Amino acid sequence: MVEELTQAFAEKLYLDEVTGEQISKSELKRRTKNREREAKKLQKAALAQKTAPSKSSAQETEDDLSPNQYYELRSRAIEKMRQEGPYPYPHKFHVSMSLSKFVETFSSLKDGEHLADNIVTVSGRIHNIRASGSKLKFYDLHAENVKIQIMAQAQDSERDFTLVHEPLRRGDIVGVRGYPGKSKRGELSIFPKDVVLLTPCLRTIPKEHFGLKDQETRYRQRYLDLLMNPAVKDKFVIRAKVINYIRKFLDNLGFLEVETPMMNILAGGATAKPFITHHNELGLDMYLRVATELFLKELVVGGIDRVYEIGKQFRNEGIDLTHNPEFTTCEFYMAYADYNDLMEITENLLCGMVNYLFGKSTIEYHINGYDKDPVTIDFTPPFRRMDMITELEKCLDTKLPPFSEIHTEESRKILDDLCVKHNIDCSAPRTNSRLLDKLVSEYLEPQCTNPTYIINTPQMMSPLAKYHRSMPGLTERFELFIAGREVVNAYTELNDPKVQRQCFEDQVKNKEAGDDEAQPIDEGYITALEFGLPPTAGWGMGIERITMMMTDSINIKEVILFPAMKPEEQKPAQSES
């Protein structure tokens, strides 16, 4: 940091008269050369225009410019306004009515009706500009997923009509003071007495006719996506409603919402690879949390019998259609309950949520892509229950090792041979749990279109779940799958500190074998268990996964405002020779 500051002070800065920035000499030189090249292109375009049909406005002429040319031209114009006025970034504009309220209030007007005595002020962003001669301008004004027309007539303007409207371009944010009405064609409009530029847009925005469809641009520049694709906001409104519904549902059951640390000395609570960071003051490497589980169960030990948290998790793993390294979960823990209670709660939660959002118990979801017909998913309870080992034996037409022996080396070889036989890829280390998980992913999960519980997971796959009370080797755990994707993970919690230590030690063996997702021994958590965790059931849901289904999205990036993206490739600097 010191070196960077020293270098900044050592290098003299120069004023870019076009943008008003203080930049280095080399950067100023590069920009000057680029501008000279762009100026030559503009001269050629101007010569060509003399023989071409005349454009009706400066805005139309600017449509022919490259993005860089437009930016340079617009920056000069705005810099001139900074110097000569009016200042293009005013501090305040009083808005008397939102655009959505304007539409709600005046949409019932008759065609051609005006309310000349009803002066209101609105604001929004200009998307389209049209002109009919020099005395009449039309703008499409957008805000809050609605739009109205600005029908600007010279006869209504309180200031010089040309001076008011000449600086305005597509993308600009403006304030309008005028009276409501409808055009003769029935378009709801505001007839301005004055239009004020509030924030200029220096860049070109896509035209509405073509829209913004490129996924890379949409995810990298979400603000542009929201501007050009109003339906995108609807997905995030539904996401917010999903979270609010879960919060109210749990609050009504007497749960307390809490916050737990995002940085830990140990990354526990889930089988996942963590992100590593460093705490300078403590001089310690720390991990971003992969789950909230252990801290929340410590709170149950402390007497908070019903507790939950909605928050971010971080897992240093792959990015695909259903995974993002940073994601949101809801986890809750309920004393004196088991996994059977949680299945009933899950059914009530999800069926209630779907009815709250859509007024019915079914949704349409494009599991196989938007080019295929959607499938109907029914959330009416009770949900199907599928015993993991029993159902897997049916699909494979073979007998798997006994529950109590499925963790042994002999069983690992059997599972390994099955994966090889059925051409199922499993990366190293090929542990019992990873091999079994791959078989379940291949044969059971695709069957789960409607909400389905895969229950009774082997203990080796569930180091924090309590052993099954009647089937040794298994746990009282379920995973809820919908449309072939895991949405909920829940189990009766393991609360015997001696057994918990042994499960952690088994995980350490897996880590030593090369499984960097295996959990470490958490001595602090075991100590908490030694004070006594009551019989407890724990539950976790991925917010993005359920939101994908509620919004008919097949890519997780569609329901994360700012998803993880690879850096854009930097274009090599042009030679100055």
Side-chain angles (χ1 to χ4, degrees):
M1 183 67 181
V2 174
E3 291 179 358
E4 292 174 359
L5 287 171
T6 303
Q7 183 179 357
F9 282 119
E11 186 173 10
K12 186 177 178 182
L13 299 179
Y14 293 80
L15 176 66
D16 184 336
E17 294 182 353
V18 174
T19 64
E21 299 172 280
Q22 294 286 338
I23 57 176
S24 67
K25 183 177 180 180
S26 59
E27 175 63 12
L28 181 61
K29 186 177 179 182
R30 186 189 69 78
R31 291 188 183 185
T32 301
K33 289 204 170 189
N34 282 340
R35 286 165 185 157
E36 288 172 354
R37 282 194 292 269
E38 297 291 352
K40 289 179 181 177
K41 291 179 183 178
L42 285 172
Q43 287 176 355
K44 289 181 180 179
L47 288 172
Q49 252 189 330
K50 289 182 179 179
T51 56
S54 62
K55 298 281 188 176
S56 62
S57 70
Q59 290 95 323
E60 289 180 339
T61 303
E62 290 165 2
D63 289 343
D64 296 331
L65 302 178
S66 70
N68 283 340
Q69 289 173 328
Y70 182 88
Y71 174 73
E72 291 283 347
L73 192 66
R74 187 75 166 126
S75 295
R76 289 192 189 100
I78 298 306
E79 184 59 28
K80 184 178 180 183
M81 292 182 70
R82 283 194 185 97
Q83 302 299 325
E84 301 177 3
Y87 184 59
Y89 295 93
H91 288 71
K92 168 75 175 175
F93 180 82
H94 175 70
V95 176
S96 66
M97 182 177 288
S98 68
L99 225 57
S100 55
K101 185 68 176 177
F102 185 96
V103 172
E104 178 187 341
T105 305
F106 301 115
S107 57
S108 61
L109 293 176
K110 297 177 181 178
D111 294 358
E113 184 180 0
H114 297 171
L115 302 179
D117 294 330
N118 192 345
I119 302 298
V120 299
T121 53
V122 298
S123 64
R125 189 182 293 268
I126 294 172
H127 275 236
N128 287 313
I129 301 176
R130 304 174 301 281
S132 179
S134 60
K135 302 296 183 182
L136 183 59
K137 298 272 188 179
F138 299 91
Y139 304 88
D140 287 343
L141 189 69
H142 287 234
E144 302 167 319
N145 280 14
V146 299
K147 76 166 185 174
I148 65 171
Q149 178 178 255
I150 302 173
M151 189 170 175
Q153 305 171 103
Q155 65 194 39
D156 291 327
S157 183
E158 294 177 346
R159 294 192 291 141
D160 185 285
F161 190 78
T162 301
L163 291 178
V164 168
H165 293 277
E166 193 280 330
L168 303 183
R169 297 292 184 271
R170 293 178 59 250
D172 287 353
I173 298 171
V174 297
V176 186
R177 184 172 62 84
Y179 57 89
K182 277 192 176 178
S183 68
K184 292 180 180 179
R185 295 184 178 182
E187 188 159 1
L188 182 61
S189 305
I190 184 168
F191 296 81
K193 292 185 174 296
D194 196 17
V195 180
V196 179
L197 176 62
L198 303 179
T199 307
C201 179
L202 303 182
R203 305 279 182 178
T204 54
I205 64 171
K207 292 189 174 180
E208 287 186 341
H209 177 73
F210 300 102
L212 177 63
K213 298 182 177 64
D214 180 70
Q215 280 192 337
E216 283 284 312
T217 304
R218 289 183 55 232
Y219 301 150
R220 290 185 190 279
Q221 296 177 273
R222 184 65 84 182
Y223 51 88
L224 201 56
D225 187 26
L226 291 165
L227 284 178
M228 301 310 302
N229 300 314
V232 171
K233 181 184 175 183
D234 296 338
K235 294 189 176 186
F236 292 99
V237 170
I238 289 180
R239 178 185 169 118
K241 288 182 177 179
V242 165
I243 293 172
N244 287 337
Y245 182 87
I246 294 171
R247 180 172 279 120
K248 290 177 182 177
F249 181 90
L250 294 176
D251 289 346
N252 288 337
L253 290 178
F255 283 81
L256 176 69
E257 183 176 10
V258 300
E259 292 182 340
T260 60
M262 286 196 179
M263 292 191 302
N264 306 313
I265 295 174
L266 292 175
T271 303
K273 184 177 180 180
F275 284 93
I276 302 175
T277 186
H278 185 78
H279 195 298
N280 291 334
E281 181 67 22
L282 297 178
L284 289 174
D285 282 341
M286 302 186 77
Y287 300 94
L288 297 183
R289 70 183 183 192
V290 296
T292 56
E293 177 167 348
L294 301 187
F295 281 115
L296 292 176
K297 285 192 285 190
E298 288 182 16
L299 295 177
V300 179
V301 172
I304 305 178
D305 288 347
R306 298 188 178 193
V307 64
Y308 76 96
E309 181 171 7
I310 299 173
K312 292 286 188 183
Q313 317 300 333
F314 308 88
R315 299 184 182 178
N316 199 355
E317 299 167 354
I319 300 174
D320 58 30
L321 291 177
T322 60
H323 292 88
N324 192 71
E326 177 184 348
F327 60 100
T328 304
T329 65
C330 173
E331 289 193 35
F332 74 74
Y333 293 83
M334 184 176 182
Y336 313 109
D338 65 11
Y339 80 142
N340 293 302
D341 299 310
L342 296 190
M343 284 189 243
E344 181 180 352
I345 289 173
T346 302
E347 290 169 359
N348 291 336
L349 169 67
L350 288 178
C351 185
M353 179 192 295
V354 172
N355 275 281
Y356 165 70
L357 292 173
F358 307 111
K360 57 182 180 179
S361 299
T362 59
I363 63 170
E364 300 293 311
Y365 189 55
H366 286 81
I367 295 177
N368 302 309
Y370 297 119
D371 57 337
K372 308 289 185 181
D373 290 335
V375 299
T376 300
I377 299 176
D378 191 349
F379 287 83
T380 304
F383 297 167
R384 179 188 176 192
R385 301 186 183 191
M386 183 187 296
D387 188 278
M388 178 185 285
I389 302 300
T390 304
E391 196 67 29
L392 200 54
E393 287 178 334
K394 291 180 184 178
C395 294
L396 295 171
D397 194 22
T398 189
K399 190 71 176 174
L400 293 173
F403 304 148
S404 59
E405 299 176 11
I406 203 164
H407 64 285
T408 64
E409 176 59 23
E410 292 75 13
S411 298
R412 193 200 70 78
K413 291 178 180 177
I414 293 171
L415 295 171
D416 198 328
D417 291 341
L418 283 170
C419 284
V420 172
K421 176 182 177 181
H422 294 282
N423 297 314
I424 297 173
D425 181 51
C426 178
S427 59
R430 295 170 73 89
T431 60
N432 301 53
S433 58
R434 288 167 66 89
L435 290 163
L436 187 57
D437 184 60
K438 289 293 183 181
L439 289 167
V440 171
S441 298
E442 182 71 22
Y443 288 100
L444 301 191
E445 293 173 13
Q447 298 182 40
C448 306
T449 299
N450 283 326
T452 303
Y453 299 119
I454 297 180
I455 63 174
N456 303 334
T457 309
Q459 278 184 278
M460 65 181 184
M461 301 176 74
S462 313
L464 295 166
K466 194 157 190 174
Y467 53 87
H468 200 285
R469 67 195 76 181
S470 62
M471 292 185 284
L474 300 183
T475 58
E476 294 190 350
R477 175 186 177 190
F478 71 81
E479 292 172 284
L480 177 68
F481 286 84
I482 307 172
R485 294 168 178 171
E486 180 191 350
V487 176
V488 172
N489 181 29
Y491 38 81
T492 307
E493 296 295 337
L494 177 56
N495 61 343
D496 184 332
K498 182 179 178 180
V499 178
Q500 182 64 79
R501 180 179 291 280
Q502 181 59 53
C503 290
F504 277 153
E505 289 173 352
D506 291 340
Q507 286 282 299
V508 170
K509 292 176 184 177
N510 288 340
K511 185 175 283 291
E512 291 171 349
D515 187 355
D516 54 9
E517 295 184 353
Q519 297 186 50
I521 298 176
D522 190 326
E523 294 290 351
Y525 176 65
I526 293 175
T527 300
L529 291 185
E530 291 170 348
F531 280 91
L533 174 69
T536 298
W539 180 97
M541 169 185 277
I543 297 298
E544 284 83 11
R545 294 279 180 88
I546 193 65
T547 304
M548 288 173 68
M549 291 163 197
M550 298 300 107
T551 59
D552 193 17
S553 301
I554 58 177
N555 189 334
I556 196 171
K557 290 184 173 68
E558 293 289 343
V559 296
I560 299 176
L561 279 169
F562 301 101
M565 304 286 289
K566 289 183 180 179
E568 290 186 280
E569 291 185 9
Q570 297 295 320
K571 296 179 181 179
Q574 292 184 346
S575 172
E576 295 187 355
S577 60

